[in-house]
Amino acid sequence: MGIKSFQGPRAKSVSKKEYIAPILVTDYMTRKLVTFTPQQSILEVMELFTKYNISGGPVLDDNGFLVGIISEADCMKQISESRYFNQPILDKSVEKFMTKNVDTIPHDMSIFDAAGVFHKGNRRRLPVMQDGLLIGQISRKDIVIAALKLSGQNWK
Protein backbone atom coordinates (compact mmCIF):
# COMPACT_ATOMS: atom_id res chain seq x y z
CA MET A 1 0.00 0.00 0.00
CA GLY A 2 1.89 3.02 -1.28
CA ILE A 3 1.15 6.71 -1.18
CA LYS A 4 -0.58 7.91 -4.29
CA SER A 5 -0.55 11.44 -5.49
CA PHE A 6 -3.66 12.82 -7.01
CA GLN A 7 -3.80 15.88 -9.17
CA GLY A 8 -7.32 17.20 -9.20
CA PRO A 9 -8.76 19.66 -11.68
CA ARG A 10 -7.83 22.67 -9.48
CA ALA A 11 -4.32 21.52 -8.73
CA LYS A 12 -1.64 23.50 -10.44
CA SER A 13 1.39 21.84 -11.85
CA VAL A 14 4.47 23.11 -10.15
CA SER A 15 7.40 23.63 -12.40
CA LYS A 16 10.79 24.21 -10.93
CA LYS A 17 12.15 27.49 -12.29
CA GLU A 18 15.83 27.75 -12.88
CA TYR A 19 17.41 31.05 -12.07
CA ILE A 20 19.35 32.32 -15.03
CA ALA A 21 21.92 34.63 -13.49
CA PRO A 22 23.69 37.31 -15.49
CA ILE A 23 27.18 35.94 -15.94
CA LEU A 24 28.69 37.99 -18.74
CA VAL A 25 31.37 40.63 -18.47
CA THR A 26 28.92 43.18 -19.86
CA ASP A 27 26.62 42.59 -16.87
CA TYR A 28 29.24 43.68 -14.35
CA MET A 29 31.60 46.07 -16.17
CA THR A 30 31.87 49.78 -15.52
CA ARG A 31 30.37 51.78 -18.36
CA LYS A 32 31.12 55.33 -17.24
CA LEU A 33 34.86 55.61 -17.59
CA VAL A 34 37.38 58.32 -17.02
CA THR A 35 39.37 58.25 -20.24
CA PHE A 36 42.58 59.94 -21.24
CA THR A 37 44.23 61.15 -24.43
CA PRO A 38 47.81 60.53 -25.57
CA GLN A 39 48.47 64.30 -25.41
CA GLN A 40 47.41 64.76 -21.77
CA SER A 41 50.15 65.43 -19.26
CA ILE A 42 51.10 62.89 -16.64
CA LEU A 43 50.50 65.57 -14.01
CA GLU A 44 46.89 65.97 -15.15
CA VAL A 45 46.44 62.19 -15.15
CA MET A 46 47.70 61.92 -11.57
CA GLU A 47 45.33 64.71 -10.53
CA LEU A 48 42.39 62.88 -12.17
CA PHE A 49 43.40 59.59 -10.52
CA THR A 50 43.16 61.36 -7.17
CA LYS A 51 39.99 63.28 -7.98
CA TYR A 52 38.06 60.20 -9.15
CA ASN A 53 39.76 57.70 -6.83
CA ILE A 54 40.89 55.47 -9.68
CA SER A 55 44.20 53.77 -10.41
CA GLY A 56 44.14 53.76 -14.20
CA GLY A 57 42.12 54.11 -17.33
CA PRO A 58 41.96 53.73 -21.10
CA VAL A 59 43.69 56.10 -23.48
CA LEU A 60 41.66 57.01 -26.57
CA ASP A 61 42.75 58.75 -29.75
CA ASP A 62 40.84 61.66 -31.33
CA ASN A 63 38.48 59.18 -33.04
CA GLY A 64 37.64 57.37 -29.80
CA PHE A 65 39.71 54.26 -30.53
CA LEU A 66 41.64 52.54 -27.76
CA VAL A 67 45.37 53.20 -28.18
CA GLY A 68 46.66 52.43 -24.71
CA ILE A 69 46.08 52.32 -20.99
CA ILE A 70 47.63 54.46 -18.30
CA SER A 71 47.97 53.36 -14.69
CA GLU A 72 49.50 54.43 -11.41
CA ALA A 73 52.40 52.09 -12.18
CA ASP A 74 53.08 54.05 -15.37
CA CYS A 75 53.04 57.27 -13.34
CA MET A 76 55.53 55.75 -10.89
CA LYS A 77 57.97 55.50 -13.78
CA GLN A 78 57.66 59.25 -14.37
CA ILE A 79 58.07 60.03 -10.68
CA SER A 80 61.11 57.76 -10.45
CA GLU A 81 62.74 59.27 -13.54
CA SER A 82 62.15 62.82 -12.31
CA ARG A 83 64.06 62.03 -9.11
CA TYR A 84 66.83 60.22 -10.97
CA PHE A 85 67.40 63.21 -13.23
CA ASN A 86 66.94 65.61 -10.27
CA GLN A 87 64.07 67.39 -12.00
CA PRO A 88 60.52 68.15 -10.97
CA ILE A 89 57.81 66.00 -12.46
CA LEU A 90 57.69 67.35 -15.96
CA ASP A 91 54.64 67.99 -18.05
CA LYS A 92 55.32 64.93 -20.20
CA SER A 93 52.53 63.34 -22.20
CA VAL A 94 50.62 60.16 -21.46
CA GLU A 95 51.79 58.73 -24.78
CA LYS A 96 55.35 58.42 -23.46
CA PHE A 97 54.35 56.34 -20.43
CA MET A 98 51.15 54.48 -21.34
CA THR A 99 51.02 50.78 -22.06
CA LYS A 100 50.44 50.50 -25.81
CA ASN A 101 49.91 46.75 -26.22
CA VAL A 102 46.67 46.59 -24.30
CA ASP A 103 45.09 43.31 -23.28
CA THR A 104 41.33 43.55 -23.80
CA ILE A 105 38.36 41.34 -23.09
CA PRO A 106 35.22 40.76 -25.19
CA HIS A 107 31.88 41.96 -23.82
CA ASP A 108 30.27 38.54 -24.15
CA MET A 109 32.87 36.57 -22.18
CA SER A 110 31.60 34.91 -19.00
CA ILE A 111 32.84 36.21 -15.69
CA PHE A 112 34.31 32.77 -15.05
CA ASP A 113 36.49 32.99 -18.16
CA ALA A 114 37.34 36.59 -17.27
CA ALA A 115 38.47 35.41 -13.83
CA GLY A 116 40.83 33.01 -15.62
CA VAL A 117 42.22 35.87 -17.71
CA PHE A 118 42.88 37.91 -14.57
CA HIS A 119 44.40 34.89 -12.83
CA LYS A 120 46.84 34.25 -15.69
CA GLY A 121 47.71 37.89 -16.27
CA ASN A 122 49.04 40.67 -14.13
CA ARG A 123 46.34 43.26 -14.82
CA ARG A 124 43.99 44.96 -12.39
CA ARG A 125 41.55 46.06 -15.07
CA LEU A 126 40.79 45.19 -18.66
CA PRO A 127 39.08 47.29 -21.32
CA VAL A 128 35.89 45.64 -22.61
CA MET A 129 35.46 45.64 -26.38
CA GLN A 130 32.54 45.09 -28.73
CA ASP A 131 33.01 45.23 -32.50
CA GLY A 132 36.42 46.86 -32.06
CA LEU A 133 35.10 49.66 -29.84
CA LEU A 134 35.63 50.30 -26.15
CA ILE A 135 32.31 49.91 -24.30
CA GLY A 136 33.52 49.59 -20.71
CA GLN A 137 36.10 48.27 -18.32
CA ILE A 138 36.08 45.33 -15.93
CA SER A 139 38.27 45.02 -12.88
CA ARG A 140 39.27 42.21 -10.59
CA LYS A 141 36.96 43.72 -7.99
CA ASP A 142 34.03 43.60 -10.44
CA ILE A 143 34.62 39.87 -10.90
CA VAL A 144 34.70 39.32 -7.14
CA ILE A 145 31.42 41.25 -6.77
CA ALA A 146 29.85 39.15 -9.53
CA ALA A 147 30.96 35.93 -7.82
CA LEU A 148 29.46 37.08 -4.52
CA LYS A 149 26.16 37.87 -6.22
CA LEU A 150 26.15 34.43 -7.84
CA SER A 151 27.19 32.40 -4.82
CA GLY A 152 24.53 29.86 -3.96
CA GLN A 153 22.68 30.37 -7.25
CA ASN A 154 22.21 27.96 -10.13
CA TRP A 155 23.07 29.21 -13.56
CA LYS A 156 23.26 27.89 -17.08
Side-chain angles (χ1 to χ4, degrees):
M1 192 165 178
I3 298 174
K4 295 182 181 179
S5 65
F6 174 74
Q7 192 165 3
R10 292 184 2 200
K12 294 179 183 174
S13 64
V14 178
S15 64
K16 196 173 186 180
K17 290 185 180 178
E18 252 188 72
Y19 178 72
I20 301 174
I23 60 168
L24 298 180
V25 165
T26 191
D27 298 318
Y28 295 97
M29 71 183 186
T30 301
R31 295 176 188 276
K32 293 182 181 179
L33 300 176
V34 176
T35 62
F36 304 95
T37 66
Q39 298 79 29
Q40 273 181 294
S41 74
I42 288 293
L43 283 175
E44 185 179 358
V45 168
M46 289 191 282
E47 289 169 357
L48 291 170
F49 283 176
T50 303
K51 179 180 178 179
Y52 293 106
N53 195 27
I54 59 174
S55 60
V59 180
L60 306 178
D61 67 12
D62 294 336
N63 297 316
F65 290 106
L66 182 68
V67 294
I69 198 159
I70 188 78
S71 69
E72 287 174 330
D74 299 321
C75 293
M76 293 302 110
K77 183 177 179 185
Q78 165 61 27
I79 294 167
S80 175
E81 284 183 7
S82 67
R83 181 171 183 246
Y84 179 77
F85 294 110
N86 198 24
Q87 298 175 344
I89 298 172
L90 299 176
D91 203 20
K92 293 184 180 175
S93 69
V94 168
E95 190 170 33
K96 179 175 169 120
F97 296 97
M98 70 183 186
T99 301
K100 293 177 183 169
N101 296 324
V102 181
D103 295 330
T104 63
I105 200 163
H107 74 286
D108 57 354
M109 178 180 274
S110 79
I111 61 158
F112 307 106
D113 292 336
V117 171
F118 278 112
H119 178 70
K120 291 176 188 168
N122 193 23
R123 303 281 184 239
R124 290 184 171 185
R125 74 199 61 78
L126 290 168
V128 179
M129 307 296 283
Q130 181 176 2
D131 300 324
L133 298 174
L134 177 70
I135 62 164
Q137 180 173 276
I138 191 136
S139 68
R140 289 179 177 184
K141 185 175 182 179
D142 296 328
I143 300 295
V144 170
I145 290 168
L148 287 172
K149 286 181 180 179
L150 294 172
S151 68
Q153 300 294 328
N154 293 324
W155 53 81
K156 286 185 175 184

